[in-house]
Amino acid sequence: MRVAVFSAKPYDQQFLNAANGDGNHELVFFEARLTPATAPLAAGFSAVCAFINDQLSEETVRAIAATGTQLIALRSAGFNNVDLKVAKELGLTVVRVPAYSPYAVAEHAVGLILMLNRKLYRAYNRVRDDNFALQGLLGFDLHGATVGVVGTGKIGQCFSKIMNGFGCKLLAYDPYPSQVCLDLGMEYVPLPDLLAASDVVSLHCPLMPETHHLLNADSLSGLKTGAMVINTSRGGLIDTPAMIAAIKSGQVGYLGIDVYEQEANLFFEDLSDTVIQDDDFQLLQSFPNVVITAHQAFFTREALTNIAETTISNINQCAQGEACPNQVK
Ligand code: NAI
């Protein structure tokens, strides 16, 4: 198949070319994001390959379908950026990579917790500046702390196992409890109870209409005072202005995020010479108890290998007219 690969960074090219072996498919890489404005680049390609910040809105999907695209191969698990209704109406197949490394994301969430709790970002800078004072670096033991896990699917389960190893008390909220988590001795409780009891709340549920702004002014007011919130899932789970207010009031004591609701305008690009126009983002950056990473939780060798190999295997199956288990219905 001729495949137009959008949002293609050098690392995407490296791993996809390796997975494509001796050039089974013709992969053409575009660094641009797929948007209605860049959709004409896909003209004549039977497949487009897209990532999380590509905009497969109704307008884009109609445009690529009109110029011959039949397959959308997502290099992500999430598909909230695709207008599935229109894709179905136009007969486009959508495939995804349901799991590539739950360990990568879970381990990154734990990294954010340690970074915030032990103030490693401040300690690193201090020591480089020959400032060896400890004042301001006080943390708390994770052993014995209560950790609330919202969403106990693949990533939530890996995260829970790690935190269980730290000796934390684990609470969970998920409409579909996991046997793995029950076997760890985790207690499933309603979301308000989890928020009220947890020292650390980590979000691992998908972004859907029901989970949009799951943490808003109302739910944040029910948090244990000074709790830590970690979000490695999707930015839209948090109402950012409400979170800023909760940090200012001290309701939230620490925030670690790898995702941000308006990240499409920022993440994956070097904007270090640019004046960032997003005031909420700049305000968050200015707080001493907030750590932000730019959607890198998935970014390990193992995950990129799995993403590339599954994507090529999805394209192979679709090219051969076989049923693809990773098709999004
Ligand atoms: P999964 O599908 O295995 O698990 C999701 C879990 O959330 C399921 O157990 C489901 O029952 C639960 N859930 C659904 N609605 C819920 C609700 N209203 N409240 C609480 N739980 C609910 O997904 P997986 O692989 O664990 O991924 C979780 C999320 O992590 C993805 O949806 C994606 O947004 C995010 N992610 C982030 C990455 C990053 O680099 N930062 C990389 C990969 C995924």
Side-chain angles (χ1 to χ4, degrees):
M1 264 186 165
R2 289 192 76 221
V3 186
V5 184
F6 284 87
S7 298
K9 300 290 185 198
Y11 44 83
D12 294 309
Q13 302 189 22
Q14 178 194 335
F15 283 87
L16 282 168
N17 280 333
N20 195 30
D22 45 10
N24 211 2
H25 302 286
E26 185 189 340
L27 306 179
V28 177
F29 297 100
F30 297 104
E31 205 179 322
R33 271 197 293 146
L34 178 55
T35 65
T38 60
L41 291 171
F45 287 87
S46 39
V48 302
C49 181
F51 198 47
I52 45 180
N53 288 330
D54 289 309
Q55 293 169 14
L56 286 139
S57 58
E58 170 167 4
E59 199 182 347
T60 310
V61 175
R62 288 199 185 279
I64 60 174
T67 53
T69 297
Q70 293 143 5
L71 172 67
I72 297 171
L74 299 172
R75 308 198 291 284
S76 59
F79 45 84
N80 51 293
N81 54 336
V82 185
D83 192 325
L84 290 177
K85 196 162 149 269
V86 174
K88 189 173 177 197
E89 174 199 318
L90 299 173
L92 267 77
T93 303
V94 181
V95 292
R96 67 181 183 127
V97 183
Y100 31 92
S101 174
Y103 310 104
V105 183
E107 289 168 12
H108 192 79
V110 177
L112 290 173
I113 293 175
L114 289 170
M115 181 109 151
L116 282 162
N117 174 26
R118 308 309 300 268
K119 302 185 173 59
L120 298 179
Y121 54 106
R122 303 185 83 178
Y124 172 79
N125 284 325
R126 276 193 190 184
V127 171
R128 284 181 69 89
D129 203 24
D130 294 340
N131 174 356
F132 307 116
L134 297 184
Q135 182 67 30
L137 300 183
L138 191 67
F140 62 87
D141 283 8
L142 284 170
H143 184 269
T146 301
V147 176
V149 187
V150 180
T152 52
K154 291 178 284 295
I155 295 170
Q157 289 167 27
C158 290
F159 174 79
S160 299
K161 285 183 192 164
I162 300 172
M163 298 319 289
N164 187 53
F166 275 99
C168 299
K169 175 173 192 278
L170 291 165
L171 299 177
Y173 171 69
D174 191 312
Y176 305 96
S178 121
Q179 193 56 48
V180 172
C181 292
L182 290 169
D183 290 347
L184 283 178
M186 286 172 72
E187 189 186 347
Y188 279 85
V189 295
L191 184 61
D193 295 1
L194 180 149
L195 297 178
S198 299
D199 301 297
V200 177
V201 173
S202 195
L203 304 180
H204 299 288
C205 60
L207 176 62
M208 304 178 292
E210 311 88 79
T211 57
H212 181 249
H213 289 182
L214 184 90
L215 293 187
N216 53 35
D218 184 41
S219 51
L220 286 169
S221 70
L223 268 182
K224 189 168 181 174
T225 303
M228 181 187 295
V229 174
I230 301 294
N231 186 8
T232 54
S233 197
R234 283 291 180 269
L237 296 176
I238 294 181
D239 176 346
T240 306
M243 176 57 78
I244 289 170
I247 294 168
K248 282 178 156 180
S249 73
Q251 187 79 46
V252 169
Y254 315 76
L255 175 68
I257 53 174
D258 184 54
V259 287
Y260 173 65
E261 191 162 17
Q262 308 303 334
E263 70 178 54
N265 300 325
L266 302 169
F267 288 2
F268 306 129
E269 304 302 329
D270 177 0
L271 302 180
S272 52
D273 277 334
T274 314
V275 175
I276 304 284
Q277 301 294 323
D278 184 329
D279 293 347
D280 284 344
F281 187 79
Q282 293 299 74
L283 194 52
L284 279 178
Q285 288 250 60
S286 74
F287 294 140
N289 52 353
V290 173
V291 168
I292 305 175
T293 53
H295 212 133
Q296 70 170 86
F298 74 99
F299 199 57
T300 65
R301 264 198 313 271
E302 291 75 9
L304 288 194
T305 303
N306 288 338
I307 289 171
E309 288 180 352
T310 307
T311 298
I312 295 297
S313 150
N314 287 344
I315 296 172
N316 283 343
Q317 285 168 329
C318 293
Q320 286 156 17
E322 293 170 9
C324 176
N326 298 328
Q327 183 172 349
V328 184
K329 302 277 184 183

